[in-house]
Amino acid sequence: MAACPKLRSKIPADAVIGFTGDCLKRAGGDAARLKWPGAQKDLVAYRKHEEAELKRAREEEARRAQEEAARAKEEAAVAARGASYVAASVFAAGRCNFGNCAKDGWTVNTPDGDVRVRCNFGNCLKEGWVADFPGGKSARTTCSFGDCFKDGWRTELPDGQSASTRCSFNNCPKDGWSTDIPGLGTATTRCNFQDCLKDGWTTDLPQGGQVRCRCNFQDCLSNGASCD
């Protein structure tokens, strides 16, 4: 602290603010102890610099907070859209309506609300299905060659993209199926004991998690399935 008045005249102009701050710190924050000529002018410049730095820091913090909020909002939107697309394009991706996914469709709870799936003409496995989203839009699924559990199916999503499902070894009831969902990845379904229609199935979802379905009274087509 005692050396500050002697050193001030040797400090280059671009280092004065840093020098002043260092001396003020050594003085315990007491500006009255800075005794060199022009010390008050240096203090004014130092404090303006500190205020500007604080303002910049606060603006940067606000900008980062806004970016984080926007990122979180986008991630939530992606998660909600992904959950809806899984519900629409993966057979029996949620709880079966009236205990029969193949006849009455299924319902899946998503961050935006329930996605309700209904079978066309009471036969999802032959005629396909329609998924109604909470916002009023729908996705439509058609069975390839009129046989979903042999040749797979295709789901037209509200944004114009489509999800495609292929039966493993052309035999969904025995070997399961895989659904490619744009922007999310693949949902893979395995038949329990190689018999989906008797023992049920397990679906690994692309965003993590599983849906497990059990055939009621060991007959999914006649008695439906219970999924969780």
Side-chain angles (χ1 to χ4, degrees):
M1 174 59 203
C4 287
K6 298 178 182 178
L7 294 174
R8 172 60 184 86
S9 60
K10 300 178 182 179
I11 302 299
D14 60 357
V16 170
I17 289 176
F19 170 80
T20 303
D22 185 56
C23 288
L24 185 61
K25 185 183 295 184
R26 291 172 182 271
D30 185 359
R33 296 179 62 189
L34 305 186
K35 298 296 186 180
W36 63 81
Q40 290 306 308
K41 180 180 177 181
D42 291 346
L43 276 169
V44 169
Y46 168 76
R47 284 171 177 158
K48 284 183 177 180
H49 172 79
E50 288 296 290
E51 288 174 359
E53 287 295 302
L54 180 59
K55 182 180 179 181
R56 276 195 293 272
R58 286 174 176 169
E59 289 174 348
E60 177 65 16
E61 183 179 359
R63 183 187 65 80
R64 289 179 179 175
Q66 289 177 345
E67 289 180 350
E68 182 63 28
R71 185 162 48 248
K73 184 177 180 180
E74 176 61 22
E75 289 175 354
V78 169
R81 185 168 63 249
S84 295
Y85 285 3
V86 166
S89 58
V90 177
F91 179 76
R95 64 184 183 276
C96 296
N97 300 329
F98 305 107
N100 195 329
C101 285
K103 179 176 181 290
D104 298 304
W106 55 93
T107 300
V108 181
N109 181 260
T110 76
D112 285 341
D114 284 351
V115 175
R116 302 183 185 279
V117 178
R118 46 195 165 84
C119 298
N120 295 327
F121 306 106
N123 192 336
C124 276
L125 299 181
K126 180 180 179 182
E127 306 291 347
W129 57 85
V130 176
D132 296 320
F133 296 154
K137 294 183 179 181
S138 298
R140 299 182 180 278
T141 295
T142 54
C143 296
S144 301
F145 305 106
D147 192 337
C148 276
F149 263 12
K150 178 184 177 185
D151 299 303
W153 59 90
R154 189 175 189 85
T155 301
E156 299 299 327
L157 301 167
D159 60 5
Q161 300 187 91
S162 60
S164 59
T165 298
R166 58 192 177 277
C167 294
S168 300
F169 306 104
N170 292 111
N171 194 336
C172 280
K174 178 184 177 184
D175 299 305
W177 57 90
S178 298
T179 301
D180 296 326
I181 305 171
L184 294 177
T186 301
T188 303
T189 298
R190 306 180 304 277
C191 295
N192 298 331
F193 306 107
Q194 290 192 308
D195 194 336
C196 279
L197 302 184
K198 178 184 177 184
D199 297 306
W201 57 86
T202 299
T203 298
D204 294 322
L205 301 175
Q207 293 178 306
Q210 290 183 328
V211 175
R212 299 174 184 271
C213 295
R214 300 172 302 281
C215 295
N216 297 327
F217 305 106
Q218 292 192 310
D219 189 341
C220 277
L221 290 183
S222 298
N223 302 310
S226 299
C227 300
D228 53 37

